[in-house]
């Protein structure tokens, strides 16, 4: 028996419980803390921990420390398993999107530009503590990917228009907005490293998340691609 067959069998075995399928469905849209998953799915924390252990053992999820409140942990699909589409309903690309990070200088700007370019729908960005200007590394990464942030400026998060889907793309912003219904994508801050590679990797992960939430499918155990051009 091939190693690939064994790997796919392990994935199917791990998804043999409805709670685990529901967890994966939710993580298609948003990274979540265990507390958030417990409340959203109506599952006791101890039982949820058991199911998360099974999904982690199968290589489907990972638990990471928040870059905001280091005491908090987020559960997310592993980046190489973002193609694991089950029953989650895709987002209509025409849905207005608002991407939020703390300074609105890199990740949220890249996310809005990528959504408009890749899905053709309306997208804006904002920050909880906006910087004075968009980070040059984000502008350069956008240009390398065929996106334009040359005239972009940071904006403060204010009233969210009705019907808009909010996506926080940094942990601190998510934790600053407990009263705002939002999805959360835990994207590492590329400005900490400051290299071209860090900004390119952040944009690549954002584009893969966009593909995941706008694509319908029941695929399990397929081989993902890291090339965003192949995913569009």
């Amino acid at each position: 028996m091939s190693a690939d067959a064994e790997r796919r069998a392990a994935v199917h075995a791990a998804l043999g419980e409805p709670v685990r399928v529901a967890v994966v469905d939710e993580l298609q849209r948003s990274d979540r803390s265990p507390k958030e998953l417990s409340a959203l799915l109506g599952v006791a924390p101890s039982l949820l921990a058991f199911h998360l252990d099974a999904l982690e053992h199968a290589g489907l999820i990972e638990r990471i420390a928040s870059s905001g409140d280091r005491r908090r942990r987020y559960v997310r699909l592993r980046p190489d398993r973002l193609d694991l589409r089950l029953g989650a309903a895709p987002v209509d690309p025409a849905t207005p999107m608002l991407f939020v990070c703390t300074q609105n200088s890199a990740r949220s700007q890249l996310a809005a530009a990528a959504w408009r370019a890749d899905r053709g729908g309306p997208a804006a960005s904002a920050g909880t503590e906006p910087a004075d200007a968009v980070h040059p590394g984000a502008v350069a990464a956008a240009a390398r990917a065929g996106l334009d942030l040359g005239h972009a400026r940071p904006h403060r998060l204010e009233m969210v228009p009705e019907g808009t889907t909010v996506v926080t793309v940094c942990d601190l912003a998510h934790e600053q907005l407990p009263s705002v219904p939002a999805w959360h994508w835990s994207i590492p801050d590329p400005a900490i490293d400051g290299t071209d590679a860090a900004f390119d990797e952040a944009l690549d992960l954002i584009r893969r998340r966009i593909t995941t939430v706008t694509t319908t499918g029941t695929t399990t155990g397929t081989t993902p691609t890291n090339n965003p051009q192949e995913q569009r």
Side-chain angles (χ1 to χ4, degrees):
M1 183 180 300
S2 70
D4 181 65
E6 292 180 354
R7 179 180 63 83
R8 286 186 287 118
V11 169
H12 286 284
L15 294 171
E17 289 282 347
V19 170
R20 297 175 199 168
V21 173
V23 167
V24 170
D25 277 351
E26 180 59 31
L27 296 182
Q28 294 294 328
R29 294 181 286 261
S30 174
D31 302 335
R32 295 292 186 188
S33 69
K35 182 177 180 181
E36 289 172 326
L37 283 172
S38 179
L40 285 166
L41 303 180
V43 177
S46 57
L47 180 57
L48 177 66
F50 169 77
H51 289 302
L52 293 181
D53 285 345
L55 291 171
E56 188 171 42
H57 181 73
L60 300 180
I61 66 166
E62 57 188 9
R63 287 174 267 203
I64 59 171
S66 165
S67 60
D69 181 351
R70 301 296 295 181
R71 298 168 296 178
R72 182 184 297 217
R73 297 182 72 81
Y74 287 105
V75 182
R76 68 181 183 188
L77 289 178
R78 282 178 34 174
D80 60 340
R81 304 317 303 268
L82 285 173
D83 68 327
L84 188 71
R85 294 184 296 275
L86 297 175
V91 181
D92 185 341
T95 300
M97 305 294 291
L98 177 62
F99 296 95
V100 179
C101 66
T102 310
Q103 294 192 321
N104 189 214
S105 63
R107 289 165 286 182
S108 55
Q109 294 279 359
L110 290 168
W115 184 277
R116 292 191 296 265
D118 295 355
R119 292 297 175 259
S125 66
T128 56
E129 302 170 13
D132 293 330
V134 176
H135 195 292
V139 176
R144 286 191 295 273
L147 307 175
D148 182 12
L149 290 182
H151 300 288
R153 296 291 181 270
H155 297 281
R156 182 172 298 279
L157 177 66
E158 296 178 342
M159 184 176 295
V160 178
E162 186 175 354
T164 299
T165 295
V166 179
V167 183
T168 52
V169 290
C170 85
D171 297 339
L172 182 57
H174 184 67
E175 292 153 17
Q176 289 175 328
L177 301 170
S179 63
V180 177
W183 295 350
H184 178 50
W185 299 348
S186 184
I187 309 294
D189 184 359
I192 293 175
D193 185 286
T195 63
D196 289 352
F199 283 94
D200 290 343
E201 288 169 8
L203 178 55
D204 177 66
L205 184 54
I206 287 167
R207 290 183 119 165
R208 282 189 281 161
R209 296 301 301 249
I210 290 171
T211 296
T212 297
V213 300
T214 56
T215 305
T216 303
T218 57
T219 304
T220 59
T222 59
T223 301
T225 175
N226 289 327
N227 184 345
Q229 297 295 333
E230 294 175 4
Q231 293 180 314
R232 298 202 294 273

